[in-house]
Amino acid sequence: MTEKNRYFVSGDEAVALGTRLARPHVISAYPITPQTIVVERLSEMVEDGSLKAEFMHVESEHSAISAAMGVSSVGARSFTATSSQGLLYMAEGLHYASGGRFPVVMMNANRATALPWSIFGDLRDSLSQLDSGWIQVYVEDAQEALDMMIQAYKIAEHKKVLTPFMVNLDGFVLTHTYEEVEVPDQEMVDQFLPPFETPNKMSIEKPMNMGFSTSPADNMEFKFQQHKAMMDSIAVIKEVDQEYGDMIGRYYNGMIDTYQCDDAEVILMTLGSVTGTARVVVDALRAKGLKVGLLKIRYMRPFPEKEIQEVVKNAKVIGVLDKDISFGFEGTIYTNVNSALVRMQSHPQSYNFVAGMGGRDVSKADIEEMFMDLLHAAKGEEIERVKFINMGVEING
Amino acid sequence: MDNTAIKKINAKNITDKEYFYGHKACAGCGGSLAVRQALKVLGDRSYSVLPAGCMAAVGFIYPQMAFNSNAVISMFPGSASMASGITAGNKALGVEDTHTVVFAGDGGTADIGLQALSGAIDRDDKLIYICYDNEAYMNTGIQKSGLTPFGTKTTTTPAGKNLPGSITEKKNLFEIVAAHDIKYAATASIGYINDFINKVNKAKQVDGTSFIHVYASCPTGWGTPTETSVEIAKEAVDCGLWYLAEYENGEFKLNRNPKEFKSIPEYIKKQGRFKHLTDDQIKHIEAARDKKWARIRKNWG
Amino acid sequence: MNRPKVTEFKKAKHINDYPTGPGFQGGHLVDKNAGWRTFRPVIDKDACVNCLICYMICPDGTIYKSDDKVDIDYDFCKGCGVCANGCNVNAIKMVKEEL
Ligand SMILES: Cc1ncc(C[n+]2csc(CCOP(=O)(O)OP(=O)(O)O)c2C)c(N)n1
Ligand code: SF4
Ligand SMILES: [Mg+2]
């Protein structure tokens, strides 16, 4: 790699650079903090001619996703980006795009959902849309964000998949933090990512009626197909990760990534940027001889059931860090992980840590507290099942 | 636009090919006639976008695909934006000489789809937006929309002891659209089918957004005999409750300026949705018509 | 007649026989609308002046230009009567269907 391929950019800018390399035909997006820099950079790239695409100034997120589906319905490649309220405003379109098998790619800057208003990060926006039928990946740093924009198209457009793809970045912590990234050569990306081909499109040569309605006699079959495509995407995700690594030099280990899990007694599961902090804590605790490990969940849909089971099978206790809460129950990631655990013959005990909502910092001390709790539980001590970390006030009683 | 250069379309020279065929619209559906004729004008290279609504519901019942050309159902609020996407996608792929056309109901246009329509006109995306106006949300069972006129009985504006059905006037959609300084907008009626198809043909030549608001009767929702669908849509124009006009190059133009209006009571009596109206309420409708026409005649010449 | 025709359709036996997503060939018809009719329009060819009004106003597009003025595709005519009502010379009569 030459110097010229290294850039010092924010997460949002890395997304824009990755998106440009994927050569989308049309970009339709509406501004919302902390996604705005993505669309600003992309409009500059369109203006200066370095990205040959149509930039559509839509009047809302609903129209952003609606237009993206229109683009996809004629076989062109589309991109959109949003966050929080915008993602929720798109909700109808999220389900529509997956049901229509339109492989739209979107960047979502994870941000708290109102009320109360907050422009800062948590995962309540995208996790509330877990059932919308989109592939959801959560990235850890700007480099992974850039690389995943390119992989996203390859996976989404795969003929066995044809499912929309959401790349999630923690708001501010990732979108607005500067890092050095390496930008692959366009020729290499062109080799990796062929032009979009789909049977599911309208054309003059082969007129199609799309987005049709079905009677109860056929509806479930289409829904099953969608489910099957998502399940099949697991193999595609791994293949694409491998191929990307072979060509470009960076591997992400597919559905999940692990750190110090081989002999770990307790394992903490994280998503996104907090994983970096957790690695540092693992190192510190390992230095003290504590058998702790870290599992980074990359994909929430499809869910890495088998991959998680394989990693935790020898652990005594696992913990799940959720930057979200499903009111009236527990963290959404925790629910999903538990479902994978109970399908094992015997499984570790599991605990939930709700932290970092609305942009609250998740510090090394917070993560250490989680690990210490898990280690206590491993010794048979009783700890809270769902624990809110770093609350500013007393919440019990 | 140079109108003289555009060849008139008529029964003799319009294509024989049918593009909206085997659909399941009610017998005598006015909306389906508007779709059928517009697609004949637009031909093979068209991409239709239909939001939820009757024409989407009756045209795409798998495996009965009634559009004999490209067509897609959009989200109810997103027909204009999906059409924009189709136009942009085709442009980016270098697919040339295509027509993206929306067929949206009154509710899908004047209410829930207005924002997306406004966005498309603002961007001046090349698409033809046709609103077939049957004056209510028909597909969900005849509820009031922003284009339901005063005095209409619908399932959400019941006529009873206290209310005469709908108590609001029809939204002025045509002028709302024109206020965007759109390149071409027109009103039409399936009762004046030649006028309608020639307006579609004009819209077809526009390099940007164009809009046609076509009055399209609904025997099921209006309580009219199926055979009178075209006749009643003509009468609406003749009695002045609808009008035929265009907006082009920043100017409004009235295409028909009847010296004398046909009788509103006659028009109203034929329709179940208006049966309950009292003489006073009919007078209110007449007064509203006269006021509107006084303004139109003064301003649009 | 320049219009789609009914084709035989076999329901999918395997999930892979379904189209990928809800999209299908335009103009693909599997059933007729003739059963909707209680009255059938019958054209009096002598009275007909071939003005083509009926052809223009049929909501279903079932009237077509033929060698003998106009004809009706009874497979898809729903019997709404718009044509008969619109004919200026009363050349179309609505006749009750015999069951
Ligand atoms: C977001 C959303 N809200 C509501 C509906 C329900 N809906 C479907 S069609 C329809 C009525 C359509 O009315 P109009 O646009 O006037 O068309 P028409 O059925 O009269 O032809 C409604 C309310 C929907 N599909 N989507
Ligand atoms: S309800 Fe009205 S608009 Fe809907 S298909 Fe029937 S006649 Fe047409
Ligand atoms: Mg309507």
Side-chain angles (χ1 to χ4, degrees), chain A residues 19 22-29 42 46 51-58 63-64 66-81 103-106 153 196, chain B residues 81-94 123 125:
Chain A
T19 303
R23 299 187 189 273
H25 291 104
V26 182
I27 293 151
S28 57
L42 286 170
V46 172
L51 170 57
K52 301 250 171 312
E54 299 278 320
F55 193 101
M56 195 186 290
H57 299 93
V58 284
S63 283
S66 177
M69 288 191 271
V71 171
S72 191
S73 75
V74 295
R77 191 171 277 167
S78 61
F79 175 75
T80 186
V104 174
V105 169
M106 157 158 68
Y153 283 99
F196 176 30
Chain B
S81 42
M82 192 168 206
S84 292
I86 289 171
T87 297
N90 272 333
K91 184 175 169 203
L93 291 171
R123 292 185 299 271
D125 290 334

Side-chain angles (χ1 to χ4, degrees), chain A residues 62 92 96, chain B residues 29 31 51-57 74-78 103-112 129 131-148 218:
Chain A
H62 194 282
E92 181 189 18
Y96 213 89
Chain B
C29 170
C54 273
M55 294 308 106
S74 74
M75 296 184 283
F76 193 29
F103 296 104
D106 45 294
T109 304
D111 296 340
I112 200 167
Y129 191 110
C131 168
Y132 66 93
D133 181 6
N134 50 29
E135 304 199 313
Y137 292 112
M138 293 309 176
N139 190 47
T140 34
I142 325 172
Q143 292 87 17
K144 184 206 124 68
S145 82
L147 293 185
T148 301
C218 163

Side-chain angles (χ1 to χ4, degrees), chain A residues 99 101 200 207-212 217-218 221 225, chain C residues 11 15-16 18-27:
Chain A
R101 307 295 296 278
N200 189 40
M208 288 268 276
N209 287 188
M210 299 188 63
F212 57 59
D218 293 303
E221 280 68 19
Q225 247 191 6
Chain C
K11 196 173 153 50
I15 192 73
N16 294 342
Y18 271 93
T20 309
F24 209 53
Q25 175 197 328

Side-chain angles (χ1 to χ4, degrees), chain A residues 257-359:
Chain A
D257 200 2
T258 56
Y259 188 62
Q260 302 280 21
C261 284
D262 288 349
D263 63 340
E265 271 180 25
V266 308
I267 293 173
L268 181 68
M269 300 188 192
T270 54
L271 261 69
S273 62
V274 74
T275 311
T277 318
R279 266 200 206 91
V280 177
V281 177
V282 168
D283 286 343
L285 296 179
R286 281 271 169 180
K288 291 185 195 163
L290 299 171
K291 290 194 166 169
V292 297
L294 182 64
L295 189 158
K296 169 172 124 176
I297 297 177
R298 297 188 69 236
Y299 285 85
M300 275 302 288
R301 284 293 179 274
F303 193 69
E305 179 199 345
K306 296 273 174 328
E307 293 74 9
I308 288 176
Q309 288 170 344
E310 185 55 33
V311 172
V312 304
K313 64 175 191 265
N314 296 320
K316 283 197 184 132
V317 172
I318 67 106
V320 176
L321 197 170
D322 263 287
K323 284 195 192 179
D324 69 282
I325 176 81
S326 176
F327 306 116
F329 196 28
E330 58 194 14
T332 298
I333 308 166
Y334 183 55
T335 304
N336 279 265
V337 168
N338 278 340
S339 184
L341 295 186
V342 296
R343 296 175 194 184
M344 300 167 73
Q345 286 216 313
S346 67
H347 61 81
Q349 282 296 304
S350 71
Y351 297 91
N352 194 195
F353 303 103
V354 176
M357 286 178 59

Side-chain angles (χ1 to χ4, degrees), chain A residues 360 388-397:
Chain A
R360 184 158 304 183
F388 284 76
I389 300 290
N390 194 16
M391 294 299 287
V393 294
E394 179 60 52
I395 57 170
N396 294 316

Side-chain angles (χ1 to χ4, degrees), chain B residues 83-211:
Chain B
S84 292
I86 289 171
T87 297
N90 272 333
K91 184 175 169 203
L93 291 171
V95 182
E96 283 169 3
D97 191 24
T98 62
H99 303 287
T100 312
V101 58
V102 172
F103 296 104
D106 45 294
T109 304
D111 296 340
I112 200 167
L114 191 56
Q115 174 178 308
L117 171 59
S118 178
I121 304 171
D122 174 43
R123 292 185 299 271
D124 199 21
D125 290 334
K126 185 169 162 32
L127 59 95
I128 305 165
Y129 191 110
I130 299 179
C131 168
Y132 66 93
D133 181 6
N134 50 29
E135 304 199 313
Y137 292 112
M138 293 309 176
N139 190 47
T140 34
I142 325 172
Q143 292 87 17
K144 184 206 124 68
S145 82
L147 293 185
T148 301
F150 174 87
T152 312
K153 184 175 120 190
T154 71
T155 52
T156 50
T157 52
K161 273 205 305 291
N162 301 308
L163 290 172
S166 168
I167 54 169
T168 51
E169 309 288 340
K170 206 171 164 69
K171 233 186 237 187
N172 195 344
L173 179 64
F174 174 57
E175 288 178 65
I176 292 171
V177 168
H180 287 73
D181 266 335
I182 190 170
K183 288 209 172 100
Y184 178 70
T187 61
S189 164
I190 61 151
Y192 285 90
I193 202 73
N194 280 315
D195 175 74
F196 171 60
I197 58 175
N198 281 291
K199 283 170 173 169
V200 175
N201 195 37
K202 244 168 133 172
K204 185 179 172 183
Q205 334 280 330
V206 174
D207 188 21
T209 316
S210 54
F211 173 84

Side-chain angles (χ1 to χ4, degrees), chain C residues 1-73:
Chain C
M1 268 210 301
N2 193 353
R3 63 200 69 220
K5 288 182 191 64
V6 170
T7 50
E8 207 196 327
F9 179 70
K10 289 206 180 68
K11 196 173 153 50
K13 286 217 164 61
H14 188 273
I15 192 73
N16 294 342
D17 300 337
Y18 271 93
T20 309
F24 209 53
Q25 175 197 328
H28 179 270
L29 302 182
V30 296
D31 70 304
K32 304 172 180 174
N33 294 334
W36 292 29
R37 233 174 13 240
T38 41
F39 288 87
R40 131 194 313 251
V42 176
I43 303 172
D44 175 348
K45 296 287 175 93
D46 293 331
C48 170
V49 295
N50 207 17
C51 71
L52 300 176
I53 282 184
C54 56
Y55 163 68
M56 292 302 279
I57 63 178
C58 173
D60 291 79
T62 63
I63 301 182
Y64 57 94
K65 300 175 198 168
S66 70
D67 295 341
D68 188 13
K69 298 174 181 174
V70 285
D71 278 309
I72 297 173
D73 179 358

